[in-house]
Amino acid sequence: MANINEYAKNITPALYQKLATAVETGKWLDGAPLSEEQKAHSLQLVMAYQKEFNIEPDHFTIAQNGEIFMESKKVLRQQFADPDDNSEVHLINL
């Protein structure tokens, strides 16, 4: 395989998920820490995989066009809002 993009096209979704988890936590599934070199290479592979297959990107992931996908504050507020909470300000009496 010629480059990292070719590797990314050939990994399974399960392997991608394991690599993404390792990059996020800094540890392999068995608990062993990633070296700095392993982190860098795994992150590059995760980003290359996202560039190829990330059809519905999450906030701050790589979209299929290869650019970082960012949601607006309004969308993020709606996404993480409590559905039962109608107010934006919470008052607490101390």
Side-chain angles (χ1 to χ4, degrees):
M1 290 182 219
N3 61 37
I4 198 157
N5 293 318
E6 292 300 316
Y7 283 115
K9 290 177 185 176
N10 291 298
I11 66 171
T12 64
L15 179 56
Y16 159 76
Q17 192 59 52
K18 289 176 184 178
L19 286 170
T21 300
V23 169
E24 289 172 4
T25 63
K27 297 179 183 178
W28 295 115
L29 295 179
D30 66 359
L34 274 74
S35 69
E36 289 302 316
E37 185 178 21
Q38 288 172 328
K39 271 187 217 176
H41 290 243
S42 296
L43 179 58
Q44 288 177 353
L45 191 53
V46 165
M47 292 171 70
Y49 182 90
Q50 288 177 349
K51 177 183 163 277
E52 293 296 325
F53 302 107
N54 200 2
I55 296 167
E56 295 180 16
D58 291 324
H59 184 61
F60 269 108
T61 60
I62 306 298
Q64 267 193 315
N65 61 8
E67 295 181 11
I68 296 174
F69 179 78
M70 292 184 286
E71 291 282 10
S72 68
K73 285 183 182 180
K74 181 179 180 180
V75 170
L76 290 172
R77 279 191 196 116
Q78 291 172 346
Q79 188 177 16
F80 293 106
D82 182 359
D84 299 328
D85 183 18
N86 294 329
S87 67
E88 290 191 29
V89 177
H90 298 278
L91 299 176
I92 300 174
N93 292 327
L94 298 176

